[in-house]
Amino acid sequence: MKKMLLMVGVALSLGLSSLFIQSAASTPIALDEAVAEFQSREASFEVIGQPVKFGFANNYSVAIKLLSLDDEMVRARGQLSGPREISEFVAGEIYVANLKFSPARKATRQGFEASIGSGLEQIKSATSLPALASALRKSYLLEAGGVSQNSIGLVAGLAIGDTSLIDGELLEQMRTVSLTHLTAVSGANCAIIIGMVYLLVSRLRASRWLRTALSLAALIGYVAIVGTQPSVLRAAFMSSVVLLAISLGRRATAGSALGLAILILLIADPWLATDFGFALSAAATAGILLLAPEIYLRLKTRVPNWLALGLSVTISAQLLCLPVLLQLQSGLSTYSVLANLLAEPLVAPVTILGILACLVAWFAPWLAFGLSWVASLATWWIALVAEQLAAFPMTTISWATGWLGATLAVVVIVATLLWLRAEAAGMKATGALTLIVVLSITIGSSGASIAKSASWPPRDWLVVACDVGQGDALVVRSENQVAVIDVGKDRKLIDGCLTQLGIRRIDLLVLTHFDLDHIGGLAGALQGREVGQALISPFNDDRWGASLSKQTIEQSGAVSSFGQVGVRGSLGQFSWRVLSPEPNAAGAEDSNDASIVILWQSPQLNLLTMADLGERGQMRVAGSSDSWLGQGLDSVPMVLKVSHHGSADQYPELIEALGPDLALVSVGADNSYGHPTLRTIALLEKLGTRIFRTDLSGDLAVSISDGVLGVSVSGHG
């Protein structure tokens, strides 16, 4: 026990020391001004990671190490984002360019974020290994063939972790049925690489140490090709530990290797502790090691061995990942076990064929095409499984969210361990009883959610706040005309909400500003729907989301214009007018400050949609209130869409003057921003305002009868 406590103390000390040292190094004083004031400065930097595609366009990001700033030596690690040219970057290359700096997100090791402004010039090439790995990867992606584009992309995803060829819809379907882990390089990939090389060299009667050295060299080369993502690092390190232990003639348990890999990697990079990919990778591996053998022994007497093996691996991995998954989604994937059971047997052959295709693509493109095409037959099936199961009803089983849900998941894990592995009969019975109770509660709550959602929405709804997580999406309806104000970040969530509301035409689409949590779901909102008119913020926003949103709206055939003071219109019985921003977003400091604020007035109710406008902007709106506040607003109830998910950045005097009868807060469950804040909630409660939140109640539908506002909630699940 003392030794264990000593080891824990040493590990914590090393981890904290590493965190403090690296934190200080990642944010040098010389960089503070450029980051805090979003400055554009000339800088030189070294590429230290693999470019990764993000968003729903050809946009990429890559980890870089800053070398100089305006000819002054500066050392800091950051994240660079930009257009497709970044995809050509290779680790080890050095560039000089004009970079636009911005603060880094919290809980990352990056000291800054930046985008390429102008003058990009390469001043040093990559070393031989990264250059060779990049050449192999590019050749493979260029020469790969297959049954369909998605099947080709899935082969690349399973073999080298590249998802750039897979369309967003299939990725979303795979996420729905819990198949996204297939495209993340894991311990299975590393084991295949080591196993292939080790067995091949063994046939040549090489010595044990030569076999080990060549296997490790192959693993290093593979990691260079796929990139150093957290799951890859964990898998590669664990495989290396096991291989070295075997070479030394020692008994190496997979559990010990996993523990050592996690410990060393967290000390080397403490920020991995906040990385969901790393946590899911480690949890899935731990689940397979702890539970799969016991589950297999109980299943093999009732079902065929192959089915027992597949079920035991899938169930054990899903179970240990549950506490982490509940931080990323609001429920349990209904068809995850079935989807994995149908897809997992094909993973190994696809991975082997894909890796071989990657290795020969440079000098034998015809062979790479053939190998990839054969592998794509299997990935076509995987794509079909994801597509069909994602289209089934009730893809999610309701489960408590936040820390309550995570705690309940931990209880399930502990209970399962007791039931399967405890030696005492009493402990086994306790575990089994706990599982029965939790499952009964889950089934009961799911049934209640199904019954509740079956009667939602009410027929007479006028306003709906769609539950799109940490984002905004509001729908207004009058006389069969519909307005949609913002579309959230997840295209599936907004599409699901609009589908449930029966929306097939959007007469007015408003994108209040171009933050991703307001425009990221645009493709889902437009899917299968016509758009008449679109209003967009006049703020000069050079982010990729802004340009892509404008392009998408143009392609939809909608007539777009700027939403600014002076713009008015009607929607059924609603008349609406823009209260902010000023023409050309004059005076706006940033995109939030240039949010489109609209006052909606009708004979039944009034509605003020505030987007993400902060206190300073709200003060400007209040300054012009003599032209609209009090002009008959008191004659019918007032509904307020609270600004910025209920953040503290509110102007109390404006809200007090409005005196809203009802407040709608669009916010994600257990978000990292602390929204909505106690300050804003207390302000609304003081005014006697009824408050409804999407994180607590799901979709919110507002209707009115005899002058009395009613709110119907969909609930979660």
Side-chain angles (χ1 to χ4, degrees), residues 486-521:
D486 289 329
V487 292
K489 181 169 63 175
D490 188 319
R491 66 179 186 176
K492 183 178 181 182
L493 292 178
I494 182 62
D495 181 41
C497 182
L498 296 179
T499 298
Q500 194 168 15
L501 294 174
I503 305 300
R504 285 289 169 263
R505 174 178 170 80
I506 301 172
D507 298 281
L508 175 63
L509 173 66
V510 183
L511 298 183
T512 61
H513 62 301
F514 295 105
D515 283 3
L516 190 62
D517 60 333
H518 291 252
I519 54 94

PDB file of all heavy atoms in Angstrom, residues 486-521:
ATOM      1  N   ASP A 486     -30.891  31.344 -36.869  1.00  0.00           N
ATOM      2  CA  ASP A 486     -29.721  30.538 -36.526  1.00  0.00           C
ATOM      3  C   ASP A 486     -30.041  29.043 -36.590  1.00  0.00           C
ATOM      4  O   ASP A 486     -31.206  28.638 -36.490  1.00  0.00           O
ATOM      5  CB  ASP A 486     -29.145  30.915 -35.165  1.00  0.00           C
ATOM      6  CG  ASP A 486     -28.460  32.283 -35.201  1.00  0.00           C
ATOM      7  OD1 ASP A 486     -27.931  32.639 -36.263  1.00  0.00           O
ATOM      8  OD2 ASP A 486     -28.481  32.991 -34.178  1.00  0.00           O
ATOM      9  N   VAL A 487     -28.983  28.242 -36.742  1.00  0.00           N
ATOM     10  CA  VAL A 487     -29.186  26.816 -37.038  1.00  0.00           C
ATOM     11  C   VAL A 487     -28.316  25.900 -36.184  1.00  0.00           C
ATOM     12  O   VAL A 487     -28.159  24.717 -36.501  1.00  0.00           O
ATOM     13  CB  VAL A 487     -28.910  26.549 -38.535  1.00  0.00           C
ATOM     14  CG1 VAL A 487     -29.967  27.202 -39.405  1.00  0.00           C
ATOM     15  CG2 VAL A 487     -27.510  27.041 -38.933  1.00  0.00           C
ATOM     16  N   GLY A 488     -27.738  26.434 -35.088  1.00  0.00           N
ATOM     17  CA  GLY A 488     -26.924  25.593 -34.222  1.00  0.00           C
ATOM     18  C   GLY A 488     -25.640  25.130 -34.894  1.00  0.00           C
ATOM     19  O   GLY A 488     -25.262  25.605 -35.969  1.00  0.00           O
ATOM     20  N   LYS A 489     -24.957  24.189 -34.267  1.00  0.00           N
ATOM     21  CA  LYS A 489     -23.678  23.693 -34.773  1.00  0.00           C
ATOM     22  C   LYS A 489     -23.799  22.338 -35.446  1.00  0.00           C
ATOM     23  O   LYS A 489     -23.027  22.009 -36.336  1.00  0.00           O
ATOM     24  CB  LYS A 489     -22.680  23.601 -33.612  1.00  0.00           C
ATOM     25  CG  LYS A 489     -21.296  23.124 -34.008  1.00  0.00           C
ATOM     26  CD  LYS A 489     -20.290  23.308 -32.900  1.00  0.00           C
ATOM     27  CE  LYS A 489     -20.619  22.496 -31.672  1.00  0.00           C
ATOM     28  NZ  LYS A 489     -19.565  22.578 -30.636  1.00  0.00           N
ATOM     29  N   ASP A 490     -24.775  21.538 -35.029  1.00  0.00           N
ATOM     30  CA  ASP A 490     -24.912  20.160 -35.494  1.00  0.00           C
ATOM     31  C   ASP A 490     -26.037  20.088 -36.519  1.00  0.00           C
ATOM     32  O   ASP A 490     -27.195  20.346 -36.207  1.00  0.00           O
ATOM     33  CB  ASP A 490     -25.212  19.249 -34.296  1.00  0.00           C
ATOM     34  CG  ASP A 490     -25.174  17.772 -34.660  1.00  0.00           C
ATOM     35  OD1 ASP A 490     -25.679  17.419 -35.740  1.00  0.00           O
ATOM     36  OD2 ASP A 490     -24.659  16.978 -33.860  1.00  0.00           O
ATOM     37  N   ARG A 491     -25.692  19.740 -37.752  1.00  0.00           N
ATOM     38  CA  ARG A 491     -26.714  19.762 -38.803  1.00  0.00           C
ATOM     39  C   ARG A 491     -27.796  18.709 -38.587  1.00  0.00           C
ATOM     40  O   ARG A 491     -28.935  18.890 -39.026  1.00  0.00           O
ATOM     41  CB  ARG A 491     -26.057  19.577 -40.169  1.00  0.00           C
ATOM     42  CG  ARG A 491     -25.398  18.244 -40.434  1.00  0.00           C
ATOM     43  CD  ARG A 491     -24.822  18.240 -41.836  1.00  0.00           C
ATOM     44  NE  ARG A 491     -24.286  16.951 -42.210  1.00  0.00           N
ATOM     45  CZ  ARG A 491     -23.807  16.684 -43.418  1.00  0.00           C
ATOM     46  NH1 ARG A 491     -23.825  17.600 -44.341  1.00  0.00           N
ATOM     47  NH2 ARG A 491     -23.324  15.489 -43.694  1.00  0.00           N
ATOM     48  N   LYS A 492     -27.456  17.622 -37.918  1.00  0.00           N
ATOM     49  CA  LYS A 492     -28.475  16.600 -37.670  1.00  0.00           C
ATOM     50  C   LYS A 492     -29.512  17.086 -36.664  1.00  0.00           C
ATOM     51  O   LYS A 492     -30.710  16.824 -36.805  1.00  0.00           O
ATOM     52  CB  LYS A 492     -27.824  15.311 -37.173  1.00  0.00           C
ATOM     53  CG  LYS A 492     -28.826  14.198 -36.976  1.00  0.00           C
ATOM     54  CD  LYS A 492     -28.186  12.904 -36.526  1.00  0.00           C
ATOM     55  CE  LYS A 492     -29.244  11.817 -36.359  1.00  0.00           C
ATOM     56  NZ  LYS A 492     -28.671  10.551 -35.879  1.00  0.00           N
ATOM     57  N   LEU A 493     -29.055  17.812 -35.640  1.00  0.00           N
ATOM     58  CA  LEU A 493     -29.979  18.292 -34.612  1.00  0.00           C
ATOM     59  C   LEU A 493     -30.974  19.287 -35.182  1.00  0.00           C
ATOM     60  O   LEU A 493     -32.173  19.209 -34.902  1.00  0.00           O
ATOM     61  CB  LEU A 493     -29.193  18.913 -33.457  1.00  0.00           C
ATOM     62  CG  LEU A 493     -28.342  17.960 -32.616  1.00  0.00           C
ATOM     63  CD1 LEU A 493     -27.589  18.712 -31.534  1.00  0.00           C
ATOM     64  CD2 LEU A 493     -29.212  16.868 -31.988  1.00  0.00           C
ATOM     65  N   ILE A 494     -30.501  20.248 -35.986  1.00  0.00           N
ATOM     66  CA  ILE A 494     -31.433  21.236 -36.535  1.00  0.00           C
ATOM     67  C   ILE A 494     -32.346  20.588 -37.577  1.00  0.00           C
ATOM     68  O   ILE A 494     -33.544  20.893 -37.642  1.00  0.00           O
ATOM     69  CB  ILE A 494     -30.677  22.446 -37.131  1.00  0.00           C
ATOM     70  CG1 ILE A 494     -31.662  23.500 -37.649  1.00  0.00           C
ATOM     71  CG2 ILE A 494     -29.725  22.028 -38.212  1.00  0.00           C
ATOM     72  CD1 ILE A 494     -32.561  24.090 -36.588  1.00  0.00           C
ATOM     73  N   ASP A 495     -31.811  19.663 -38.366  1.00  0.00           N
ATOM     74  CA  ASP A 495     -32.644  18.965 -39.346  1.00  0.00           C
ATOM     75  C   ASP A 495     -33.728  18.156 -38.642  1.00  0.00           C
ATOM     76  O   ASP A 495     -34.893  18.143 -39.061  1.00  0.00           O
ATOM     77  CB  ASP A 495     -31.771  18.059 -40.208  1.00  0.00           C
ATOM     78  CG  ASP A 495     -32.573  17.319 -41.270  1.00  0.00           C
ATOM     79  OD1 ASP A 495     -33.467  17.939 -41.873  1.00  0.00           O
ATOM     80  OD2 ASP A 495     -32.325  16.117 -41.487  1.00  0.00           O
ATOM     81  N   GLY A 496     -33.357  17.492 -37.542  1.00  0.00           N
ATOM     82  CA  GLY A 496     -34.344  16.713 -36.792  1.00  0.00           C
ATOM     83  C   GLY A 496     -35.431  17.584 -36.206  1.00  0.00           C
ATOM     84  O   GLY A 496     -36.621  17.225 -36.229  1.00  0.00           O
ATOM     85  N   CYS A 497     -35.057  18.741 -35.676  1.00  0.00           N
ATOM     86  CA  CYS A 497     -36.055  19.645 -35.095  1.00  0.00           C
ATOM     87  C   CYS A 497     -37.007  20.171 -36.165  1.00  0.00           C
ATOM     88  O   CYS A 497     -38.228  20.156 -35.991  1.00  0.00           O
ATOM     89  CB  CYS A 497     -35.351  20.804 -34.388  1.00  0.00           C
ATOM     90  SG  CYS A 497     -36.473  21.967 -33.568  1.00  0.00           S
ATOM     91  N   LEU A 498     -36.454  20.636 -37.288  1.00  0.00           N
ATOM     92  CA  LEU A 498     -37.301  21.173 -38.362  1.00  0.00           C
ATOM     93  C   LEU A 498     -38.179  20.089 -38.973  1.00  0.00           C
ATOM     94  O   LEU A 498     -39.332  20.349 -39.346  1.00  0.00           O
ATOM     95  CB  LEU A 498     -36.425  21.818 -39.439  1.00  0.00           C
ATOM     96  CG  LEU A 498     -35.617  23.052 -39.007  1.00  0.00           C
ATOM     97  CD1 LEU A 498     -34.784  23.572 -40.165  1.00  0.00           C
ATOM     98  CD2 LEU A 498     -36.544  24.146 -38.479  1.00  0.00           C
ATOM     99  N   THR A 499     -37.656  18.880 -39.062  1.00  0.00           N
ATOM    100  CA  THR A 499     -38.457  17.763 -39.586  1.00  0.00           C
ATOM    101  C   THR A 499     -39.621  17.461 -38.660  1.00  0.00           C
ATOM    102  O   THR A 499     -40.761  17.246 -39.110  1.00  0.00           O
ATOM    103  CB  THR A 499     -37.578  16.509 -39.755  1.00  0.00           C
ATOM    104  OG1 THR A 499     -36.538  16.783 -40.701  1.00  0.00           O
ATOM    105  CG2 THR A 499     -38.407  15.332 -40.243  1.00  0.00           C
ATOM    106  N   GLN A 500     -39.360  17.439 -37.359  1.00  0.00           N
ATOM    107  CA  GLN A 500     -40.425  17.170 -36.399  1.00  0.00           C
ATOM    108  C   GLN A 500     -41.483  18.270 -36.412  1.00  0.00           C
ATOM    109  O   GLN A 500     -42.665  18.013 -36.174  1.00  0.00           O
ATOM    110  CB  GLN A 500     -39.843  17.022 -34.993  1.00  0.00           C
ATOM    111  CG  GLN A 500     -40.814  16.402 -33.995  1.00  0.00           C
ATOM    112  CD  GLN A 500     -40.140  15.996 -32.705  1.00  0.00           C
ATOM    113  OE1 GLN A 500     -39.015  16.403 -32.420  1.00  0.00           O
ATOM    114  NE2 GLN A 500     -40.811  15.190 -31.903  1.00  0.00           N
ATOM    115  N   LEU A 501     -41.063  19.475 -36.729  1.00  0.00           N
ATOM    116  CA  LEU A 501     -42.010  20.595 -36.825  1.00  0.00           C
ATOM    117  C   LEU A 501     -42.742  20.618 -38.159  1.00  0.00           C
ATOM    118  O   LEU A 501     -43.652  21.420 -38.352  1.00  0.00           O
ATOM    119  CB  LEU A 501     -41.273  21.920 -36.633  1.00  0.00           C
ATOM    120  CG  LEU A 501     -40.656  22.171 -35.253  1.00  0.00           C
ATOM    121  CD1 LEU A 501     -39.838  23.448 -35.268  1.00  0.00           C
ATOM    122  CD2 LEU A 501     -41.728  22.231 -34.176  1.00  0.00           C
ATOM    123  N   GLY A 502     -42.320  19.751 -39.081  1.00  0.00           N
ATOM    124  CA  GLY A 502     -42.970  19.690 -40.388  1.00  0.00           C
ATOM    125  C   GLY A 502     -42.570  20.824 -41.314  1.00  0.00           C
ATOM    126  O   GLY A 502     -43.325  21.188 -42.220  1.00  0.00           O
ATOM    127  N   ILE A 503     -41.377  21.391 -41.126  1.00  0.00           N
ATOM    128  CA  ILE A 503     -40.939  22.534 -41.924  1.00  0.00           C
ATOM    129  C   ILE A 503     -40.333  22.045 -43.234  1.00  0.00           C
ATOM    130  O   ILE A 503     -39.346  21.320 -43.238  1.00  0.00           O
ATOM    131  CB  ILE A 503     -39.892  23.383 -41.163  1.00  0.00           C
ATOM    132  CG1 ILE A 503     -40.434  23.809 -39.794  1.00  0.00           C
ATOM    133  CG2 ILE A 503     -39.480  24.586 -42.003  1.00  0.00           C
ATOM    134  CD1 ILE A 503     -41.694  24.628 -39.866  1.00  0.00           C
ATOM    135  N   ARG A 504     -40.931  22.451 -44.345  1.00  0.00           N
ATOM    136  CA  ARG A 504     -40.400  22.119 -45.662  1.00  0.00           C
ATOM    137  C   ARG A 504     -39.972  23.366 -46.435  1.00  0.00           C
ATOM    138  O   ARG A 504     -39.295  23.277 -47.443  1.00  0.00           O
ATOM    139  CB  ARG A 504     -41.454  21.337 -46.473  1.00  0.00           C
ATOM    140  CG  ARG A 504     -41.589  19.898 -45.986  1.00  0.00           C
ATOM    141  CD  ARG A 504     -40.355  19.111 -46.383  1.00  0.00           C
ATOM    142  NE  ARG A 504     -40.268  17.794 -45.740  1.00  0.00           N
ATOM    143  CZ  ARG A 504     -39.588  17.528 -44.667  1.00  0.00           C
ATOM    144  NH1 ARG A 504     -38.902  18.499 -44.074  1.00  0.00           N
ATOM    145  NH2 ARG A 504     -39.543  16.325 -44.148  1.00  0.00           N
ATOM    146  N   ARG A 505     -40.403  24.524 -45.979  1.00  0.00           N
ATOM    147  CA  ARG A 505     -39.989  25.784 -46.608  1.00  0.00           C
ATOM    148  C   ARG A 505     -39.670  26.794 -45.517  1.00  0.00           C
ATOM    149  O   ARG A 505     -40.417  26.939 -44.544  1.00  0.00           O
ATOM    150  CB  ARG A 505     -41.070  26.346 -47.528  1.00  0.00           C
ATOM    151  CG  ARG A 505     -40.722  27.728 -48.074  1.00  0.00           C
ATOM    152  CD  ARG A 505     -41.767  28.267 -49.036  1.00  0.00           C
ATOM    153  NE  ARG A 505     -41.518  29.668 -49.336  1.00  0.00           N
ATOM    154  CZ  ARG A 505     -40.617  30.115 -50.217  1.00  0.00           C
ATOM    155  NH1 ARG A 505     -39.873  29.248 -50.886  1.00  0.00           N
ATOM    156  NH2 ARG A 505     -40.461  31.407 -50.430  1.00  0.00           N
ATOM    157  N   ILE A 506     -38.534  27.476 -45.678  1.00  0.00           N
ATOM    158  CA  ILE A 506     -38.129  28.541 -44.765  1.00  0.00           C
ATOM    159  C   ILE A 506     -38.280  29.858 -45.516  1.00  0.00           C
ATOM    160  O   ILE A 506     -37.541  30.136 -46.465  1.00  0.00           O
ATOM    161  CB  ILE A 506     -36.669  28.351 -44.307  1.00  0.00           C
ATOM    162  CG1 ILE A 506     -36.503  27.003 -43.596  1.00  0.00           C
ATOM    163  CG2 ILE A 506     -36.240  29.492 -43.397  1.00  0.00           C
ATOM    164  CD1 ILE A 506     -35.061  26.645 -43.286  1.00  0.00           C
ATOM    165  N   ASP A 507     -39.255  30.641 -45.100  1.00  0.00           N
ATOM    166  CA  ASP A 507     -39.504  31.907 -45.801  1.00  0.00           C
ATOM    167  C   ASP A 507     -38.444  32.950 -45.473  1.00  0.00           C
ATOM    168  O   ASP A 507     -38.086  33.758 -46.333  1.00  0.00           O
ATOM    169  CB  ASP A 507     -40.900  32.431 -45.434  1.00  0.00           C
ATOM    170  CG  ASP A 507     -42.000  31.482 -45.873  1.00  0.00           C
ATOM    171  OD1 ASP A 507     -42.336  31.490 -47.062  1.00  0.00           O
ATOM    172  OD2 ASP A 507     -42.474  30.706 -45.029  1.00  0.00           O
ATOM    173  N   LEU A 508     -37.956  32.935 -44.228  1.00  0.00           N
ATOM    174  CA  LEU A 508     -36.917  33.873 -43.823  1.00  0.00           C
ATOM    175  C   LEU A 508     -35.876  33.132 -42.988  1.00  0.00           C
ATOM    176  O   LEU A 508     -36.193  32.567 -41.944  1.00  0.00           O
ATOM    177  CB  LEU A 508     -37.511  35.026 -43.005  1.00  0.00           C
ATOM    178  CG  LEU A 508     -36.502  36.028 -42.424  1.00  0.00           C
ATOM    179  CD1 LEU A 508     -35.756  36.757 -43.537  1.00  0.00           C
ATOM    180  CD2 LEU A 508     -37.196  37.020 -41.500  1.00  0.00           C
ATOM    181  N   LEU A 509     -34.644  33.128 -43.458  1.00  0.00           N
ATOM    182  CA  LEU A 509     -33.524  32.528 -42.731  1.00  0.00           C
ATOM    183  C   LEU A 509     -32.627  33.647 -42.226  1.00  0.00           C
ATOM    184  O   LEU A 509     -32.171  34.477 -43.015  1.00  0.00           O
ATOM    185  CB  LEU A 509     -32.737  31.583 -43.635  1.00  0.00           C
ATOM    186  CG  LEU A 509     -31.444  31.007 -43.061  1.00  0.00           C
ATOM    187  CD1 LEU A 509     -31.733  30.083 -41.886  1.00  0.00           C
ATOM    188  CD2 LEU A 509     -30.652  30.266 -44.136  1.00  0.00           C
ATOM    189  N   VAL A 510     -32.365  33.659 -40.924  1.00  0.00           N
ATOM    190  CA  VAL A 510     -31.518  34.691 -40.326  1.00  0.00           C
ATOM    191  C   VAL A 510     -30.284  34.025 -39.724  1.00  0.00           C
ATOM    192  O   VAL A 510     -30.411  33.159 -38.856  1.00  0.00           O
ATOM    193  CB  VAL A 510     -32.261  35.477 -39.226  1.00  0.00           C
ATOM    194  CG1 VAL A 510     -31.361  36.587 -38.671  1.00  0.00           C
ATOM    195  CG2 VAL A 510     -33.562  36.070 -39.766  1.00  0.00           C
ATOM    196  N   LEU A 511     -29.129  34.406 -40.199  1.00  0.00           N
ATOM    197  CA  LEU A 511     -27.867  33.992 -39.573  1.00  0.00           C
ATOM    198  C   LEU A 511     -27.328  35.212 -38.853  1.00  0.00           C
ATOM    199  O   LEU A 511     -26.769  36.118 -39.471  1.00  0.00           O
ATOM    200  CB  LEU A 511     -26.866  33.484 -40.616  1.00  0.00           C
ATOM    201  CG  LEU A 511     -27.303  32.246 -41.410  1.00  0.00           C
ATOM    202  CD1 LEU A 511     -26.188  31.803 -42.343  1.00  0.00           C
ATOM    203  CD2 LEU A 511     -27.717  31.099 -40.497  1.00  0.00           C
ATOM    204  N   THR A 512     -27.536  35.234 -37.534  1.00  0.00           N
ATOM    205  CA  THR A 512     -27.290  36.456 -36.769  1.00  0.00           C
ATOM    206  C   THR A 512     -25.823  36.859 -36.766  1.00  0.00           C
ATOM    207  O   THR A 512     -25.492  38.043 -36.723  1.00  0.00           O
ATOM    208  CB  THR A 512     -27.757  36.291 -35.321  1.00  0.00           C
ATOM    209  OG1 THR A 512     -27.026  35.218 -34.693  1.00  0.00           O
ATOM    210  CG2 THR A 512     -29.249  35.984 -35.270  1.00  0.00           C
ATOM    211  N   HIS A 513     -24.908  35.891 -36.780  1.00  0.00           N
ATOM    212  CA  HIS A 513     -23.470  36.118 -36.907  1.00  0.00           C
ATOM    213  C   HIS A 513     -22.840  34.775 -37.223  1.00  0.00           C
ATOM    214  O   HIS A 513     -23.540  33.760 -37.300  1.00  0.00           O
ATOM    215  CB  HIS A 513     -22.872  36.763 -35.652  1.00  0.00           C
ATOM    216  CG  HIS A 513     -22.998  35.949 -34.399  1.00  0.00           C
ATOM    217  ND1 HIS A 513     -24.212  35.548 -33.875  1.00  0.00           N
ATOM    218  CD2 HIS A 513     -22.056  35.447 -33.550  1.00  0.00           C
ATOM    219  CE1 HIS A 513     -24.024  34.854 -32.771  1.00  0.00           C
ATOM    220  NE2 HIS A 513     -22.718  34.773 -32.553  1.00  0.00           N
ATOM    221  N   PHE A 514     -21.518  34.747 -37.421  1.00  0.00           N
ATOM    222  CA  PHE A 514     -20.915  33.561 -38.016  1.00  0.00           C
ATOM    223  C   PHE A 514     -20.109  32.720 -37.040  1.00  0.00           C
ATOM    224  O   PHE A 514     -19.168  32.030 -37.447  1.00  0.00           O
ATOM    225  CB  PHE A 514     -20.063  33.972 -39.217  1.00  0.00           C
ATOM    226  CG  PHE A 514     -20.882  34.563 -40.334  1.00  0.00           C
ATOM    227  CD1 PHE A 514     -20.873  35.928 -40.567  1.00  0.00           C
ATOM    228  CD2 PHE A 514     -21.698  33.765 -41.112  1.00  0.00           C
ATOM    229  CE1 PHE A 514     -21.633  36.477 -41.575  1.00  0.00           C
ATOM    230  CE2 PHE A 514     -22.472  34.298 -42.130  1.00  0.00           C
ATOM    231  CZ  PHE A 514     -22.447  35.667 -42.363  1.00  0.00           C
ATOM    232  N   ASP A 515     -20.462  32.740 -35.776  1.00  0.00           N
ATOM    233  CA  ASP A 515     -19.888  31.778 -34.840  1.00  0.00           C
ATOM    234  C   ASP A 515     -20.430  30.392 -35.195  1.00  0.00           C
ATOM    235  O   ASP A 515     -21.606  30.245 -35.570  1.00  0.00           O
ATOM    236  CB  ASP A 515     -20.247  32.127 -33.399  1.00  0.00           C
ATOM    237  CG  ASP A 515     -19.409  33.281 -32.872  1.00  0.00           C
ATOM    238  OD1 ASP A 515     -18.595  33.827 -33.642  1.00  0.00           O
ATOM    239  OD2 ASP A 515     -19.588  33.649 -31.696  1.00  0.00           O
ATOM    240  N   LEU A 516     -19.597  29.366 -35.032  1.00  0.00           N
ATOM    241  CA  LEU A 516     -19.966  28.028 -35.478  1.00  0.00           C
ATOM    242  C   LEU A 516     -21.212  27.502 -34.792  1.00  0.00           C
ATOM    243  O   LEU A 516     -21.994  26.761 -35.391  1.00  0.00           O
ATOM    244  CB  LEU A 516     -18.791  27.070 -35.244  1.00  0.00           C
ATOM    245  CG  LEU A 516     -18.914  25.680 -35.873  1.00  0.00           C
ATOM    246  CD1 LEU A 516     -19.011  25.791 -37.383  1.00  0.00           C
ATOM    247  CD2 LEU A 516     -17.729  24.808 -35.488  1.00  0.00           C
ATOM    248  N   ASP A 517     -21.438  27.880 -33.524  1.00  0.00           N
ATOM    249  CA  ASP A 517     -22.609  27.365 -32.823  1.00  0.00           C
ATOM    250  C   ASP A 517     -23.904  28.021 -33.285  1.00  0.00           C
ATOM    251  O   ASP A 517     -24.982  27.696 -32.788  1.00  0.00           O
ATOM    252  CB  ASP A 517     -22.447  27.526 -31.302  1.00  0.00           C
ATOM    253  CG  ASP A 517     -22.274  28.970 -30.880  1.00  0.00           C
ATOM    254  OD1 ASP A 517     -21.778  29.776 -31.675  1.00  0.00           O
ATOM    255  OD2 ASP A 517     -22.634  29.305 -29.737  1.00  0.00           O
ATOM    256  N   HIS A 518     -23.802  28.917 -34.252  1.00  0.00           N
ATOM    257  CA  HIS A 518     -24.993  29.536 -34.839  1.00  0.00           C
ATOM    258  C   HIS A 518     -25.160  29.197 -36.317  1.00  0.00           C
ATOM    259  O   HIS A 518     -26.273  29.299 -36.835  1.00  0.00           O
ATOM    260  CB  HIS A 518     -24.924  31.062 -34.683  1.00  0.00           C
ATOM    261  CG  HIS A 518     -25.074  31.525 -33.273  1.00  0.00           C
ATOM    262  ND1 HIS A 518     -26.198  32.170 -32.801  1.00  0.00           N
ATOM    263  CD2 HIS A 518     -24.244  31.419 -32.207  1.00  0.00           C
ATOM    264  CE1 HIS A 518     -26.044  32.455 -31.514  1.00  0.00           C
ATOM    265  NE2 HIS A 518     -24.863  31.999 -31.135  1.00  0.00           N
ATOM    266  N   ILE A 519     -24.075  28.780 -36.994  1.00  0.00           N
ATOM    267  CA  ILE A 519     -24.168  28.540 -38.450  1.00  0.00           C
ATOM    268  C   ILE A 519     -23.685  27.152 -38.864  1.00  0.00           C
ATOM    269  O   ILE A 519     -23.842  26.757 -40.015  1.00  0.00           O
ATOM    270  CB  ILE A 519     -23.395  29.620 -39.235  1.00  0.00           C
ATOM    271  CG1 ILE A 519     -21.930  29.732 -38.761  1.00  0.00           C
ATOM    272  CG2 ILE A 519     -24.079  30.966 -39.103  1.00  0.00           C
ATOM    273  CD1 ILE A 519     -20.939  28.951 -39.516  1.00  0.00           C
ATOM    274  N   GLY A 520     -23.096  26.384 -37.943  1.00  0.00           N
ATOM    275  CA  GLY A 520     -22.520  25.090 -38.304  1.00  0.00           C
ATOM    276  C   GLY A 520     -23.520  24.085 -38.844  1.00  0.00           C
ATOM    277  O   GLY A 520     -23.169  23.187 -39.609  1.00  0.00           O
ATOM    278  N   GLY A 521     -24.788  24.204 -38.446  1.00  0.00           N
ATOM    279  CA  GLY A 521     -25.810  23.258 -38.897  1.00  0.00           C
ATOM    280  C   GLY A 521     -26.545  23.690 -40.148  1.00  0.00           C
ATOM    281  O   GLY A 521     -27.617  23.152 -40.456  1.00  0.00           O
TER     282      GLY A 521
END
